[in-house]
Structures are given as structure tokens and as C-alpha cells.
Amino acid sequence: RICVITLAEAHPLLQSGKTIKNINYQISANCSRLQNKVSGKSKRTCLFLFQMQGAQFLTELAPLCRISSSDGEEYTIYSCIRGRLIEVNENILSNPALLQEKPSTEGYIAVVLPKFEESKSITQGLLTQKEYEEVLLKRRSSAS
């Protein structure tokens, strides 16, 4: 039920050999994802958090961070799901290469906990690896 937000395999930062210059969790003048403070009871053995207080609520279109590459491109990474922001990965601030070297593990961007009643519809809407690869093929063929 917990969602770990990472860069997709097809993201330009992972495909084009770009170098990451900066990662910024400051979304606007009044909103920093680094100021997200979650408190409450937790049962760490199964990573299930409940009675959370202080977690920022995210919509599908909520920006999580902005990533700048050395060629001047900037990418805004969005939550893509509704839920509470459990944590952001501060390790990528000091070691941005983790996003490219280990995007599915240590290079994750954030952890989001969807509302319990929405978690089933979220997981049902996910693509399998094969479906994801088919979407990528269609994108590439339509771009050609």
C-alpha cells in the first residue's frame, strides 16, 4: 500500500547520459517537501504507518521536486498519486548520481501513502512491465 516514487526507465535523465546538477525539493516560496514532518505511531516491521500527523497531502499533479541537468534542462517530478507524503529521499541531495545509478532502490525520490480506500484503484491502474514496454514502443514510433 505504500508507493515509492522513482524515475521511470524511459525518463530522459536515465536515457540520454545527462549529468544531474541539482535536485530541489523547494516547490514554491511557501512549500518545501523537506519541511514535511510525519509523526505518529508506526509499525516498522511491515512499513505500515497510521495515525500520521503533519504529512503533506499530495494530489496526482503535486510536484515533488525539480531536477536540473548540466545541459540546462529542468524536470519537474510529480507525485502521480493522491496521498500523504511519508518521506523524501534526502540522500539524493548530496549524491544525485543515485537517481541514475540506482533509480529503483537508493535513488528513490519519495514515499507516498495513498488513502486506504483509494489504494486498490491505484494498484489496479498500474501497468505491468510488458504493458509499460508497449507504451514506450508506441511513444517512440509516434515520435519518429
Side-chain angles (χ1 to χ4, degrees):
R1 179 164 118 68
I2 286 182
C3 299
V4 179
I5 311 298
T6 65
L7 289 179
E9 282 180 32
H11 195 281
L13 282 167
L14 300 181
Q15 293 297 311
S16 60
K18 295 184 179 199
T19 303
I20 297 173
K21 179 180 169 186
N22 182 37
I23 300 165
N24 191 350
Y25 283 110
Q26 185 75 37
I27 301 308
S28 68
N30 299 324
C31 181
S32 172
R33 300 299 181 210
L34 290 173
Q35 293 178 340
N36 186 66
K37 300 296 177 206
V38 178
S39 64
K41 296 180 180 179
S42 67
K43 187 175 182 181
R44 300 216 182 266
T45 55
C46 66
L47 292 176
F48 184 77
L49 302 173
F50 52 107
Q51 296 183 4
M52 291 184 313
Q53 297 174 352
Q56 295 174 11
F57 186 79
L58 305 170
T59 65
E60 297 93 330
L61 300 175
L64 290 170
C65 68
R66 291 190 175 81
I67 303 171
S68 302
S69 63
S70 55
D71 65 358
E73 290 284 331
E74 183 175 89
Y75 303 91
T76 301
I77 308 301
Y78 297 93
S79 172
C80 299
I81 59 168
R82 289 170 30 99
R84 299 244 176 233
L85 181 61
I86 301 301
E87 73 173 71
V88 295
N89 185 1
E90 293 184 39
N91 294 330
I92 61 175
L93 296 174
S94 59
N95 189 0
L98 286 173
L99 275 174
Q100 294 166 308
E101 295 167 3
K102 299 180 179 183
S104 301
T105 57
E106 295 171 52
Y108 72 96
I109 294 167
V111 177
V112 177
L113 180 67
K115 286 185 174 182
F116 181 77
E117 57 272 9
E118 294 178 10
S119 60
K120 187 173 184 178
S121 64
I122 290 169
T123 55
Q124 288 175 338
L126 295 175
L127 300 176
T128 64
Q129 182 69 27
K130 185 177 182 193
E131 290 169 333
Y132 174 68
E133 290 169 359
E134 289 171 0
V135 168
L136 293 180
L137 282 173
K138 287 178 187 174
R139 279 187 197 164
R140 289 182 189 125
S141 63
S142 66
S144 308

